[in-house]
Amino acid sequence: MFAAAADIGCRPHMRLRSSRSLLSYIVAVNALLVAAVVFVASLVARLNLGQAVGRRTFLVLALAVLVILLANALLLRRPLTSLERLIDATEQVDLAEPGFRVAASNAQFDEVARLQRAFNHMLDRLETERREAATAVLRGQEQERRRIAQDLHDEVNQALTAVLLRLEASIHSAPTTLHAELEETKRLAVQAMDELLQMARELRPSALEDHGLLAALATQVADWSERTGIEAHFQRSGPLPRLSDEQQLVIYRIAQESLSNVAQHANASAVTVELSFIGRTVLRVTDDGSGFSGQRNGGLGLSGMRERAVGVSGQLNVRSAADRGTIVELVLG
């Protein structure tokens, strides 16, 4: 038992001792190979043989040099392969899909291991800075949205209300021949007020603040279906976990943007909005529309949606194909 405990305690130190310096390894290997070549060359130089034997010894020397070169390549292949894997990893990194790291445990040399750790640390720092920057930008956007919604509600809506009152007074005092035109003007003013209030609600989701995420999403899907005429359903599964205000807002905004894309581009007849809390929090918006190819994947507001997902340590996945619809999926946790 004591021997096992001692072995466990010594394992980290044994790993440190087993790691070798790449520079010392290359120097030692090449020193050994040079010494071998010098030794063989000295043996050939001391031989005093005939011409045929000389050619044979020359071939032996050439073969020895070839063997040495092959041994050099084989001995250096392993550490250089680790560096090639690290280079391949740097080419595969995409900050839009965080979480990719290099397995530093595979390194057998100090320099390679340090480079891998530094690379992973750099990715950690970049992802953290990108997440903080995205969060700051989104907060600024939401504050601006609230300000614009408040101005629309307080100023523009009051101005339209005053116009309606004046129109109502003008209808009573105007000649009968003008009643139809004034009524039409009043209808247009009422329609403008309704559209204004709808815009203000979209800019500032008061339902999210007043009634919570589930009720806000259900209302959003129902209102969107009524406004666009596209069949839409909201489904949820699992108990609602504890989500931060920013996470709830990102879920709401991504669902809103996805529905807007469906209405404008998809030519869909049915949409399903699913919110699952089983295991991880997953928002999935699925439509049966025309879909799009990979070349269009960067448009449709998807970059902004990805930035929102990054701001709450989430991941946005988009799957689409021509005439097969689109699936927008947000994964949190």
Side-chain angles (χ1 to χ4, degrees):
M1 182 175 66
F2 292 105
D7 182 47
I8 294 174
C10 292
R11 282 178 185 174
H13 301 285
M14 292 174 63
R15 289 174 184 170
L16 289 176
R17 291 169 186 168
S18 64
S19 61
R20 292 164 290 177
S21 171
L22 181 59
L23 178 60
S24 62
Y25 179 78
I26 294 176
V27 170
V29 168
N30 283 278
L32 179 62
L33 296 177
V34 169
V37 171
V38 172
F39 177 74
V40 173
S42 64
L43 289 179
V44 173
R46 292 177 182 177
L47 293 176
N48 187 14
L49 302 174
Q51 186 176 6
V53 178
R55 286 197 299 268
R56 190 180 306 115
T57 55
F58 176 78
L59 292 176
V60 171
L61 178 61
L63 181 60
V65 172
L66 180 61
V67 170
I68 290 172
L69 292 176
L70 291 176
N72 194 12
L74 291 174
L75 292 172
L76 293 177
R77 181 178 180 181
R78 181 177 296 178
L80 296 180
T81 300
S82 300
L83 292 177
E84 290 177 358
R85 290 175 181 173
L86 183 58
I87 293 173
D88 293 337
T90 60
E91 295 175 348
Q92 296 174 8
V93 170
D94 184 3
L95 292 180
E97 298 180 359
F100 179 83
R101 294 294 182 274
V102 177
S105 59
N106 294 331
Q108 296 183 349
F109 300 94
D110 292 338
E111 288 81 359
V112 177
R114 287 178 57 194
L115 186 58
Q116 290 177 341
R117 288 195 298 269
F119 179 73
N120 289 336
H121 180 68
M122 180 191 67
L123 289 180
D124 292 337
R125 186 174 66 254
L126 288 176
E127 290 180 4
T128 300
E129 293 176 355
R130 188 170 187 264
R131 184 166 55 251
E132 292 175 351
T135 301
V137 170
L138 294 178
R139 286 176 180 172
Q141 289 178 350
E142 291 301 326
Q143 291 176 359
E144 187 66 15
R145 284 170 178 259
R146 286 191 177 92
R147 187 190 66 78
I148 295 175
Q150 193 68 32
D151 291 344
L152 289 176
H153 186 273
D154 295 343
E155 298 180 10
V156 183
N157 188 51
Q158 290 180 5
L160 287 175
T161 302
V163 170
L164 283 175
L165 293 176
R166 287 182 175 272
L167 285 173
E168 188 68 29
S170 299
I171 290 173
H172 292 293
S173 60
T176 307
T177 54
L178 296 177
H179 282 186
E181 184 175 350
L182 291 174
E183 287 289 346
E184 177 64 16
T185 304
K186 178 183 176 181
R187 186 189 67 80
L188 293 176
V190 171
Q191 181 180 350
M193 285 187 63
D194 292 340
E195 293 176 354
L196 179 68
L197 292 176
Q198 177 64 31
M199 186 183 302
R201 283 194 293 268
E202 291 179 355
L203 288 172
R204 183 183 180 184
S206 57
L208 184 62
E209 300 175 359
D210 299 338
H211 306 291
L213 177 62
L214 296 178
L217 278 179
T219 302
Q220 181 188 65
V221 173
D223 292 345
W224 179 87
S225 179
E226 182 179 357
R227 188 169 64 254
T228 61
I230 302 174
E231 181 181 357
H233 302 280
F234 173 67
Q235 302 174 356
R236 56 80 55 96
S237 56
L240 179 65
R242 189 179 186 86
L243 298 174
S244 65
D245 294 339
E246 291 180 349
Q247 288 176 322
Q248 295 184 48
L249 183 60
V250 166
I251 292 173
Y252 184 89
R253 289 300 189 196
I254 289 181
Q256 184 182 52
E257 184 68 25
S258 300
L259 291 174
S260 177
N261 287 337
V262 172
Q264 296 178 26
H265 308 287
N267 297 321
S269 60
V271 178
T272 301
V273 179
E274 305 173 74
L275 187 58
S276 172
F277 304 113
I278 300 176
R280 295 184 295 179
T281 299
V282 179
L283 170 71
R284 187 178 296 107
V285 181
T286 307
D287 68 74
D288 62 351
S290 56
F292 57 87
S293 62
Q295 288 80 8
R296 200 178 177 187
N297 201 0
L300 305 177
L302 295 181
S303 58
M305 294 162 67
R306 285 195 173 92
E307 290 297 325
R308 289 184 179 275
V310 169
V312 292
S313 300
Q315 183 176 358
L316 186 76
N317 303 313
V318 180
R319 299 187 295 275
S320 183
D323 300 324
R324 294 186 179 181
T326 302
I327 300 176
V328 179
E329 185 180 75
L330 170 67
V331 180
L332 301 180

